[in-house]
Amino acid sequence: MPLNRRDFINRSAATGAGVALAGAAGAAPAQAADQRHGHHGHQHAPRTFSLRVLGTTDLHGHALNWDYFTNAEYDDATHNDIGLAKVATLVAAARHEKGHDHTLLIDAGDIIQGTQLSYYYARVEPITGARRGPRHPMALAMNHMKYDAAALGNHEFNYGIPLLRAFQDQCDFPLLAANAVDARTLKPAFPPYLVKEIHVEGAPPVKVGVLGLTNPGIAVWDKANVQGRMAFPGLVEQAGVYVPRLRALGCDVVICTDHSGLDGSTSYGDAVPYPENASSLVAAQVPGIDAILVGHTHVERPQTLVVNERTGKTVVLSEPLMWGMRLSVFDIGLELVHGSWQVTSVTAEVRNANTVAEDPVVARLVRDEHQKVVAYVNQVIGTCAQAMSAAESTYKDTPIIDFLNLVQADTVKAALAGTAYASLPVLSEASPFSRTAAIPAGQVSLRDVAGLYVYENTLDAKILTGAQVKDYLEWSARYFAQTAPDAPVDVTKLTNAANIPDYSYDVLSGVSYDIDIAQPAGSRITGLTYAGAPVDPAAQFVLAVNNYRSSGGSNYPHVAAAPSVWSNSDEIRNTIIAWVQAHGTIDPTSFGGDEWRLTRAGVPLFG
């Protein structure tokens, strides 16, 4: 029975056959075999070889240096540039320096979610496979750039497994995930690794093993898409299985591409028994790894060294900045000793995409898709009575966050009408996902509204008690730095205590409360009221909550185990867009109000 395209690429990756061995076709077999087994006619001086591995991560749908929310070229405070078209220029230069045949290009995941470009080809005009329908712009660009392999990121699962399989069908390179397994058989759901042979003139080929590892948090964050279908064991555990296998296959170099940060931390508590950010643990605990391309945490780490606890060998890790802002460059030195290649050195650095122009071929490849999405996001869907901004939403009650909560609460109330839960008060949670989000006065475009909600979250409704609501708010309030009543206030240092990201901080609507930041975390919520009366710890509330939080994301108490009374498969972003289209006008004076505030010893922080 003939192989389909996906099966061919997957089997090639897992077995080292076909495409993966193409680089070895020109080797001299007899000489290579003799040297591999140490059969030399006379003593040769040691031979050396230099291998280069290039790496990207967390591209998040950025094909071009374009911001679909501002409808302009991307820019930020440090003038970073983004997108695969920029990366392609860096890759071409790095390949030219080392030699195209001596260079591999890999990615550490989160490819197909994050921009309106990637959203369009997942939900508006979804890709369906390799041979029919639209082509995914990220596949078009990455195929042209000749990626060798990519690890799966957690956001690859946001649109469901069928969409991911369709993307996989369109890729000319394998999507790797040694720790994504079939939930029933526990067999790999994707190729665990790629084995590639690099031709070396007059010497044995260098055999390189690339092991892909994804994030165990997928089981929490995308529970609705993967439960009962796939399971996600730990990175250390699966690397411990596959690294020895790659060495047994004769790999001279083993590289991991991990969608997992470095520090061993976890945002989902004990919801799954494996750490979220485990790359440093993989390096320290699993022998036989030379280098690790790191992803997931959106930070720049040009070179991090970790000593393996069992061998004493140093493993080199590198994480390039997200969205194609940086390219990691690993240079690996090898020496031929007794017919076998031995790694003698590994170094890593990152290169900045803002130093080069876009590759015109990549830009041209995705131009039609890009222009279609620009037109889509710029359509006018309503009006707004006055401008709203998220600039102060991390430390003040602002209409723009109130608007998100209004839409979510309205949606849940409508869904529960006529049910046994219709009489329960509905609260809602929302996070300041983007500090630059804004709705202008006057005409409102789809991109204006979409910019309020940059993630593919869906909406759930769960029952919490009054006591649990207070616990929930206390957990959220950890986000603020403890500040003495008489200390000067610097709003730039007020938030993100203990490195808690903005998306892990929640504002609740439907109740009123103060957050006393002079108090230690866990004892900050005061004046918690509903409808003007103190919240009864035993009272029941319905919480409109996104699926990430509902499944245990950011480790909020109670909510993951709370009874669910309703859920929706449509993205919250679409729900907001539909609300604007249905109502026509957003009027900030008609909703929200001062429901929460920051205080110190009971004194409001801001006027």
Side-chain angles (χ1 to χ4, degrees):
M1 186 173 180
L3 287 176
N4 65 29
R5 187 169 180 276
R6 182 202 303 165
D7 287 342
F8 174 73
I9 292 172
N10 290 352
R11 294 190 191 181
S12 296
T15 64
V19 172
L21 292 181
Q31 184 180 9
D34 283 346
Q35 291 190 350
R36 176 68 75 180
H37 294 92
H39 301 310
H40 309 295
H42 52 84
Q43 186 67 35
H44 291 288
R47 302 178 65 91
T48 60
F49 181 78
S50 183
L51 170 71
R52 174 165 282 181
V53 179
L54 309 175
T56 55
T57 190
D58 296 279
L59 293 167
H60 283 288
H62 292 282
L64 300 174
N65 186 39
W66 191 260
D67 186 334
Y68 291 94
F69 296 134
T70 63
N71 199 39
E73 282 197 359
Y74 179 84
D75 195 20
D76 60 21
T78 54
H79 303 300
N80 285 300
D81 286 349
I82 61 174
L84 281 170
K86 287 273 186 172
V87 173
T89 304
L90 293 177
V91 167
R95 282 172 169 159
H96 179 75
E97 294 163 7
K98 188 65 64 172
H100 192 287
D101 293 339
H102 294 183
T103 305
L104 301 182
L105 175 60
I106 61 177
D107 183 81
D110 276 3
I111 299 169
I112 62 171
Q113 177 278 338
T115 63
Q116 285 298 293
L117 181 70
S118 53
Y119 178 82
Y120 187 92
Y121 288 98
R123 287 288 187 260
V124 181
E125 192 177 337
I127 59 171
T128 55
R131 295 181 178 84
R132 62 190 185 278
R135 300 298 304 276
H136 200 292
M138 298 300 284
L140 288 171
M142 295 175 80
N143 288 344
H144 173 78
M145 293 168 65
K146 298 191 183 303
Y147 270 79
D148 292 284
L152 292 176
N154 55 287
H155 285 288
E156 260 68 79
F157 293 85
N158 285 174
Y159 299 118
I161 294 170
L163 193 283
L164 174 54
R165 292 298 190 192
F167 178 72
Q168 184 183 24
D169 283 343
Q170 294 194 355
C171 292
D172 293 340
F173 51 91
L175 302 180
L176 307 178
N179 59 327
V181 300
D182 182 277
R184 184 176 57 84
T185 67
L186 301 185
K187 292 181 179 180
F190 295 87
Y193 55 80
L194 167 74
V195 176
K196 183 144 186 171
E197 290 191 355
I198 308 296
H199 172 59
V200 182
E201 188 67 33
V206 173
K207 187 178 282 190
V208 183
V210 180
L211 178 66
L213 295 163
T214 191
N215 204 289
I218 295 164
V220 176
W221 305 318
D222 267 303
K223 182 178 179 180
N225 289 329
V226 300
Q227 188 174 40
R229 299 175 179 89
M230 292 186 190
F232 300 88
L235 282 83
V236 171
E237 290 76 7
Q238 293 302 93
V241 171
Y242 284 103
V243 171
R245 187 173 300 179
L246 288 169
R247 291 296 184 182
L249 289 171
C251 289
D252 306 297
V253 179
V254 172
I255 302 163
C256 293
T257 174
D258 294 2
H259 195 76
S260 179
L262 283 176
D263 61 7
S265 65
T266 292
S267 67
Y268 43 73
D270 58 1
V272 294
Y274 310 110
E276 175 181 353
N277 295 306
S279 288
S280 55
L281 301 177
V282 172
Q285 297 177 18
V286 181
I289 298 169
D290 297 297
I292 301 178
L293 175 67
V294 178
H296 184 57
T297 49
H298 292 205
V299 296
E300 181 177 337
R301 299 178 185 269
Q303 178 175 277
T304 298
L305 307 180
V306 175
V307 175
N308 186 269
E309 296 167 357
R310 290 172 58 183
T311 65
K313 177 183 174 182
T314 298
V315 183
V316 177
L317 303 90
S318 181
E319 180 173 6
L321 203 55
M322 74 287 188
W323 303 355
M325 293 179 182
R326 305 288 185 272
L327 174 73
S328 283
V329 180
F330 294 90
D331 282 315
I332 302 171
L334 297 103
E335 182 178 7
L336 189 63
V337 180
H338 303 303
S340 296
W341 289 108
Q342 304 291 325
V343 173
T344 56
S345 65
V346 182
T347 61
E349 63 172 0
V350 296
R351 298 186 181 182
N352 195 329
N354 73 3
T355 62
V356 296
E358 286 190 331
D359 182 312
V361 177
V362 173
R364 188 166 58 250
L365 271 174
V366 301
R367 181 183 299 149
D368 290 349
E369 289 78 10
H370 166 71
Q371 290 177 344
K372 183 180 290 188
V373 173
V374 168
Y376 164 73
V377 300
N378 279 287
Q379 60 182 297
V380 174
I381 61 171
T383 61
C384 189
Q386 61 187 54
M388 300 189 296
S389 169
E392 297 182 330
S393 293
T394 56
Y395 54 88
K396 286 185 179 180
D397 190 350
T398 58
I400 203 165
I401 301 298
D402 293 338
F403 173 58
L404 295 181
N405 276 326
L406 168 73
V407 173
Q408 293 180 163
D410 279 359
T411 302
V412 169
K413 288 174 185 176
L416 297 182
T419 73
Y421 308 101
S423 62
L424 292 181
V426 175
L427 314 182
S428 178
E429 63 79 28
S431 303
F433 290 133
S434 171
R435 298 188 185 196
T436 60
I439 299 290
Q443 288 190 333
V444 175
S445 68
L446 186 147
R447 66 178 171 85
D448 294 325
V449 176
L452 301 182
Y453 216 105
V454 296
Y455 296 107
E456 278 27 92
N457 295 339
T458 57
L459 190 60
D460 291 350
K462 293 208 161 182
I463 293 181
L464 296 181
T465 66
Q468 290 172 332
V469 168
K470 185 173 186 297
D471 289 346
Y472 191 103
L473 286 168
E474 290 285 8
W475 186 258
S476 181
R478 299 175 310 123
Y479 171 76
F480 296 101
Q482 188 171 3
T483 308
D486 58 349
V489 174
D490 181 350
V491 295
T492 66
K493 298 178 181 178
L494 199 58
T495 63
N496 306 101
N499 295 316
I500 296 170
D502 293 349
Y503 66 77
S504 289
Y505 165 62
D506 281 359
V507 171
L508 289 197
S509 73
V511 287
S512 296
Y513 56 95
D514 291 346
I515 302 174
D516 191 336
I517 60 173
Q519 301 301 316
S523 302
R524 292 178 168 176
I525 302 302
T526 62
L528 178 59
T529 62
Y530 171 75
V535 167
D536 181 350
Q540 287 192 321
F541 297 86
V542 175
L543 178 66
V545 58
N546 71 61
N547 68 300
Y548 172 84
R549 192 74 79 239
S550 175
S551 298
S554 300
N555 202 28
Y556 270 71
H558 310 303
V559 67
S564 177
V565 295
W566 178 80
S567 64
N568 188 11
S569 61
D570 201 16
E571 286 88 359
I572 293 171
R573 182 194 300 117
N574 283 349
T575 301
I576 301 167
I577 291 168
W579 190 98
V580 175
Q581 290 172 323
H583 289 76
T585 299
I586 306 168
D587 182 3
T589 64
S590 68
F591 56 80
D594 295 325
E595 291 191 309
W596 70 274
R597 61 184 180 175
L598 296 182
T599 64
R600 291 186 295 181
V603 178
L605 202 62
F606 304 105

